[in-house]
Amino acid sequence: MDIKDYFTYWDWAVLFGYLLLTTWVGHLMRGKQGTIRDFFLGGRSLPWPAVTGSMIATEISGVTFIGVPATLFALNGDFTYLQWAIGSIGARFLVAFFFVRAYYEKEIYSPYDFIGQRLGAFGKQLTTFLFIIGGILGQSVRVMVAALPLMIVTGIEFHWCILIIGIFAIAWTLMGGMQTVIWTDVMQFFLFLFGGGLALFWIVNSLPGGWGEMMEIGGQFDRTTFFNFEFGWGPEFHFTFWVAVIAVPFQNLAMFGVDQLNAQRMFCCKDEASAKKALIFSSFGQIITLMMLFVGLALFAYYHNQGGWTAAEAAIVKPGEVMVGSVPIPGTGDAVFPMWIVTNLPVGIR
């Protein structure tokens, strides 16, 4: 049985029903779009909890939902990725108490407006150009990762999956500017929370020993490490405490303070105090990251108990030569979670 054969007409109905529902909600919540201020700033009338949800959904995206479980599932994977939350949360507080005040002093539509006021037209043009290049690269990865599960579960060719996602994203943006973007993001936030929580519960419940068995298998293969205080160079030292407290704060100062993708959301709050709260409370998005790491651990324990993959699963996952216990570890684990969703969850839930 091919993987895509698991995806029934009922699953298709749920998928397109959700897309249409999101489009309809975005249309209802678009507000008036009479001026450029309405389009780009939402009239500065959006409640800060909605902006917080939008920020979390933007930060999480399909990359976290698919890629974080894969990170733990991969060879030598563990919980050390969560250390980056230290630098990320610290940077949010710095942006909230130093950047936001400067941005709200004047009516600006982007951080590059502010840079232009302080450093002149060339500074604004240069930073805008760098954002466009970085945005194209970053959003390309996000769309690619989102298209991967769609390809797996439906059998549609990869480039068509990218086109489908792109059409809906562009339509939501053109429909109502930042109002629509933020309210559809809020729906995505609850979908991430519900989907990740349901998957974790389902996998753990399928293990004979439940949560205890998952942690036991994780400990047996050194996958429950949370902190790494080692020094060194190379890919194996990406997720260390020192990277988290030295490098990640700079990365996140740029992400939340200068990158239009996140800063645009802050500008939609009615005042400085609301923008600060939206940014600081977005730190709770790290809970979803932790949840998705546990999903990766649960998947590892599940397939360890199963003794590996079925033939259909192996065709999708493409395991390599490396074995961890009874599980053949793939070169990339990005397909593992979507594959489990399609082959294990009931019709409609998928």
Side-chain angles (χ1 to χ4, degrees), residues 143-157:
V143 171
M144 183 196 72
V145 173
L148 178 67
L150 190 62
M151 177 187 69
I152 290 173
V153 302
T154 64
I156 298 174
E157 290 187 27

Side-chain angles (χ1 to χ4, degrees), residues 113-158:
D113 286 341
F114 181 80
I115 291 170
Q117 292 174 9
R118 299 297 297 269
L119 301 179
F122 177 75
K124 177 179 179 178
Q125 292 166 0
L126 177 61
T127 52
T128 301
F129 173 76
L130 292 174
F131 162 72
I132 290 171
I133 298 299
I136 290 171
L137 295 174
Q139 296 291 34
S140 297
V141 173
R142 293 181 181 96
V143 171
M144 183 196 72
V145 173
L148 178 67
L150 190 62
M151 177 187 69
I152 290 173
V153 302
T154 64
I156 298 174
E157 290 187 27
F158 196 49

Side-chain angles (χ1 to χ4, degrees), residues 5-8 11 14 153 341-350:
D5 295 332
Y6 286 90
F7 208 71
T8 68
D11 296 312
V14 172
V153 302
I341 290 172
V342 176
T343 55
N344 286 272
L345 287 179
V347 172
I349 300 294
R350 298 163 188 161

